[in-house]
Amino acid sequence: MSPTPPVAAHSVRAPALAAQRELHRLYRRVPDVGDYAAMTGIEEKWILPKARAYEASAPRFGSAGELLGALRELLSEEEASLPESHTFLAEHATREQFRVVVREFALDGLTESESLLPVVPRLPYRSGMAVFRVLIDELGCGNEDKAHSQLYRDLLAELGMSLELDDYLDTTSAEGFAYVNMFHWLAGRAASPQYFLGAYAYFESSVLYGFQSFARAAQRLGIRNGGYYSEHLYIDEYHSNHMRTAIRVLEQPDLAKIWAGVRLTSDIVGEATETAIALARETPR
């Protein structure tokens, strides 16, 4: 196996805000022929070149086990080198600045995991069932009050913010749209669902350190409905294990595509988080 590439600075730049907003609109409707052409055009300029590049440069893993070992190394390096922005959020952000961060992720929080459902029937049966077990938890096991999207609504309500998704279409950054659009692409648009397996295996594990600053900020600010963040810290160790299983049980894993999903998600999540906190810092204290 080739050495694991060092962790690079987050480098996937979202296209123009107008393009990301349009892509989000297209993903939320039943597309006609023209819509398909528009989606493909935006994807070809944004996410497809990066996916192909990461796939082409992926290490020559000898097995799924080697890939998962490289994923552990990547996660460990990221956790050890979290940017200063996480410290700012955890220890210094005001309530108004925290609201800006919450606003930036509202498009995702209000619809969490709904866009992921199309990936299940695209996967081989055993892999799809492992993913479905994760999605069942994300959707509250059918209990509306426990669904992660409801936990986000509770958080928004406490902060005096709108519960209507359309109210965030004109305030979300290009990077925030890209964060949401990435999950749509991975689950339903990417040519192979194996990109999704790498992406979500990374995501469910990275949340265990990535959400620490969000949870600490909510606790410090006395926010009662910070359960959206603490729930992820509680359940995502279980989810990350299931995502690893979803990769291990593949009879014909495309390890380069799985690795490309890992690296894409690391980049796009990192950029969205950095953008959200940068916007918060611009807000008067």
Side-chain angles (χ1 to χ4, degrees), residues 49-60 195 256-257 260:
K50 294 295 184 180
R52 292 167 183 151
Y54 275 135
E55 186 177 347
S57 65
R60 296 185 180 275
Y195 290 110
K257 284 184 172 61

Side-chain angles (χ1 to χ4, degrees), residues 161-172:
M161 301 171 71
S162 173
L163 306 185
E164 298 299 322
L165 185 141
D166 286 354
D167 288 340
Y168 296 96
L169 296 178
D170 292 330
T171 60
T172 302

Side-chain angles (χ1 to χ4, degrees), residues 87-89 91-98 220-221 279-285:
T87 301
F88 168 80
L89 180 62
E91 300 180 5
H92 305 293
T94 64
R95 188 181 183 90
E96 192 60 32
Q97 289 171 327
F98 186 73
R220 174 176 57 81
L221 293 169
L279 290 170
R281 296 180 97 148
E282 294 173 1
T283 303
R285 299 177 63 83

Side-chain angles (χ1 to χ4, degrees), residues 171-218:
T171 60
T172 302
S173 68
E175 291 79 7
F177 272 109
Y179 180 94
V180 180
N181 289 340
M182 171 189 70
F183 289 116
H184 281 279
W185 182 82
L186 288 164
R189 293 284 298 160
S192 169
Q194 296 203 39
Y195 290 110
F196 173 89
L197 293 179
Y200 222 59
Y202 165 84
F203 184 75
E204 290 291 333
S205 297
S206 67
V207 163
L208 296 171
Y209 54 83
F211 266 23
Q212 289 283 353
S213 59
F214 293 76
R216 288 172 58 195

Side-chain angles (χ1 to χ4, degrees), residues 5 11-12 43-61 185 195 255-264 267:
S11 57
V12 174
E43 292 164 350
E44 283 284 355
K45 293 179 180 178
W46 169 49
I47 200 165
L48 279 166
K50 294 295 184 180
R52 292 167 183 151
Y54 275 135
E55 186 177 347
S57 65
R60 296 185 180 275
F61 298 112
W185 182 82
Y195 290 110
L255 300 175
K257 284 184 172 61
I258 294 170
W259 187 249
V262 168
R263 297 307 299 256
L264 271 175
D267 287 342

Side-chain angles (χ1 to χ4, degrees), residues 153-165:
R153 286 179 174 84
D154 294 341
L155 175 63
L156 289 168
E158 180 178 350
L159 293 172
M161 301 171 71
S162 173
L163 306 185
E164 298 299 322
L165 185 141

